[in-house]
Amino acid sequence: MEEILFFKEGNVDYPSFFSDEIICQWLKIVAKHYERTLGSLNFIFCDDEYILSVNRQYLQHDYYTDVITFDYCERDILSGDIFISLDTVNSEIFGTTYENEFYRVVCHSVLHLIGFKDKTDPDAALMRKNENICLDLLKSV
C-alpha cells in the first residue's frame, strides 16, 4: 500500500518551498526509474537535538547527522522511516542551495532503501551519481 507521510519533531517548520505533493509525485517517478514500488514511507523532519537522540538511542552513535534511514523494505517495495534534520542539511559543504540539498537528502534516503551504500569512496561516488539522476527526475514534476 503506497503511503507517504510527513511529520515534524522538535523545533522545526517545513521549509518555505516544501510541498508534500511534489515530493510524493517525485518519489513515484524515482521508484519507477529504479523498478521499485512505493510502500509506506514516513519522513520525520526534525532539529539537530531530535536526530541526535535517535542516533544515540537506535544506532549508538553520539554525533549529529543530516539523515537516518530505517529500512523496512520487502522485496521491491520501498518502506521505511526517514529522519531528516533540517538544521544539518549540508548546503554550505556542497556549495549549493538549501533547497537543492534538501531534495538531495530526501533522495539519498530513498536510494539507501533501494540498496545503494555510501561508506566507501566508490560507493559514495555511485550514490552521488544516483542522487544527481534523482534530482534530474525532480525537474519532470
Side-chain angles (χ1 to χ4, degrees):
M1 176 174 102
E2 178 184 307
E3 182 176 54
I4 303 174
L5 300 174
F6 302 91
F7 303 93
K8 295 185 294 184
E9 289 290 345
N11 188 25
V12 297
D13 289 314
Y14 293 124
S16 60
F17 55 82
F18 177 83
S19 167
D20 57 350
E21 185 177 314
I22 288 174
I23 293 173
C24 291
Q25 289 176 15
W26 174 45
L27 293 181
K28 287 179 190 178
I29 294 167
V30 168
K32 184 176 180 182
H33 179 81
Y34 290 96
E35 300 178 352
R36 300 297 197 283
T37 302
L38 287 179
S40 176
L41 296 176
N42 296 305
F43 285 90
I44 301 95
F45 298 105
C46 60
D47 58 19
D48 274 348
E49 294 311 311
Y50 191 87
I51 206 164
L52 179 61
S53 70
V54 170
N55 217 4
R56 286 175 175 158
Q57 181 175 354
Y58 295 102
L59 302 175
Q60 290 71 53
H61 297 159
D62 192 23
Y63 54 82
Y64 297 98
T65 187
D66 54 354
V67 62
I68 297 173
T69 305
F70 293 98
D71 184 339
Y72 309 131
C73 296
E74 293 182 16
R75 297 176 304 282
D76 291 336
I77 301 172
L78 301 177
S79 298
D81 290 334
I82 299 159
F83 294 82
I84 296 175
S85 172
L86 296 178
D87 294 337
T88 309
V89 170
N90 294 316
S91 58
E92 317 80 44
I93 293 173
F94 296 107
T96 186
T97 65
Y98 184 88
E99 181 175 0
N100 188 72
E101 194 58 24
F102 171 86
Y103 286 117
R104 181 178 300 278
V105 171
V106 169
C107 71
H108 180 94
S109 65
V110 173
L111 289 168
H112 274 306
L113 296 176
I114 290 169
F116 290 95
K117 309 287 184 216
D118 60 359
K119 296 298 183 201
T120 67
D121 287 343
D123 285 347
L126 184 60
M127 174 68 86
R128 182 50 59 118
K129 177 182 173 184
N130 281 280
E131 289 169 357
N132 290 333
I133 289 168
C134 291
L135 290 172
D136 285 341
L137 292 171
L138 176 61
K139 295 173 187 172
S140 66
V141 175

